[in-house]
Amino acid sequence: MRTFSAEEGWPALRASWADRLPEADLAALDKATAFASRHHGDQTRPAGEPYLEHLLEAARVLVEAVGITDADVLRAAVLHDVVEDTACTLDEVREHFGDRVAALVDWVTKPPCPEGRSREEARAAYLDSLNSAPDDAILVKLADRLSNVQRLDTHPRPEKRRAYYDETVRSVLPLAERHPWFRAWYDAWRGEFRRLTQ
């Protein structure tokens, strides 16, 4: 099972993609990465790594494993949590990056929990809504979740590991059926991390 890292940061990743993406697209990703870095600030992931690493890992999956070169999809991958996890609004994303990027970010952003619904119910409804998402949004979501679960055993809370494994199997693996590379990766992941449920 291949894993993806972005510990080296954006400059090194950018240099490694110079033969895959035109300079104009790399410059567009410069802007998206700077925007995400500014908004996420010093946020970290549950295992303690800088938040930006997760965003760049998602983009790396799309470029290096799936062969995506669409700059809007890659920018959406870098920006996919900026509305959900910071004070940034979708209108700001639209203003800086255009309608298509904003639409992709919107698809993968969990909406606020409606009154009268539990967080679990709202989360399940959000994941169900992805069944009608456009293919490009599904790609962003699959890359996002891959980054989240590829090292699931490093999450500090065992109960969260189990819940996230179960949710991924139930709601994300069916989305991966559309894409051969993701389908194969998630199949391997499912087997490797099944032990978390025991």
Side-chain angles (χ1 to χ4, degrees):
M1 188 190 80
R2 182 179 176 185
T3 58
F4 297 80
S5 172
E7 293 178 11
E8 67 271 41
W10 171 238
L13 202 54
R14 187 192 203 281
S16 73
W17 292 349
D19 61 343
R20 297 173 184 254
L21 300 171
E23 178 59 31
D25 290 350
L26 291 169
L29 284 165
D30 288 339
K31 182 179 175 184
T33 302
F35 187 90
S37 182
R38 184 167 67 252
H39 282 279
H40 285 284
D42 59 359
Q43 286 180 355
T44 58
R45 303 292 289 162
E49 66 272 23
Y51 207 95
L52 189 62
E53 286 186 22
H54 162 61
L55 308 175
L56 294 177
E57 283 175 3
R60 186 168 209 166
V61 170
L62 293 175
V63 172
E64 298 181 13
V66 190
I68 301 299
T69 57
D70 185 321
D72 284 348
V73 175
L74 299 178
R75 289 189 296 173
V78 171
L79 297 166
H80 75 264
D81 276 334
V82 76
V83 174
E84 184 174 316
D85 290 334
T86 80
C88 182
T89 67
L90 193 63
D91 284 340
E92 289 178 80
V93 175
R94 184 175 293 107
E95 176 187 349
H96 288 276
F97 302 101
D99 290 340
R100 184 169 177 235
V101 172
L104 292 172
V105 170
D106 192 29
W107 268 110
V108 298
T109 298
K110 288 190 290 291
C113 185
E115 190 173 343
R117 252 188 176 176
S118 69
R119 285 184 63 218
E120 292 75 17
E121 289 171 334
R123 188 176 179 90
Y126 154 72
L127 290 167
D128 286 345
S129 76
L130 292 173
N131 289 310
S132 60
D135 204 48
D136 289 340
I138 295 296
L139 288 170
V140 173
K141 185 62 189 178
L142 290 171
D144 163 35
R145 183 57 68 106
L146 188 159
S147 171
N148 283 333
V149 302
Q150 63 180 339
R151 292 181 287 271
L152 188 57
D153 50 359
T154 67
H155 196 287
R157 293 166 49 209
E159 69 277 10
K160 180 65 174 178
R161 294 178 211 163
R162 288 190 293 270
Y164 214 56
Y165 176 90
D166 289 343
E167 179 186 85
T168 301
V169 169
R170 182 176 62 253
S171 299
V172 178
L173 267 63
L175 299 175
E177 288 299 315
R178 307 186 195 183
H179 300 284
W181 187 88
F182 277 118
R183 182 175 64 245
W185 189 93
Y186 277 104
D187 280 348
W189 172 86
R190 182 181 189 175
E192 183 162 330
F193 284 92
R194 185 175 287 117
R195 56 189 159 75
L196 296 181
T197 65
Q198 297 169 352

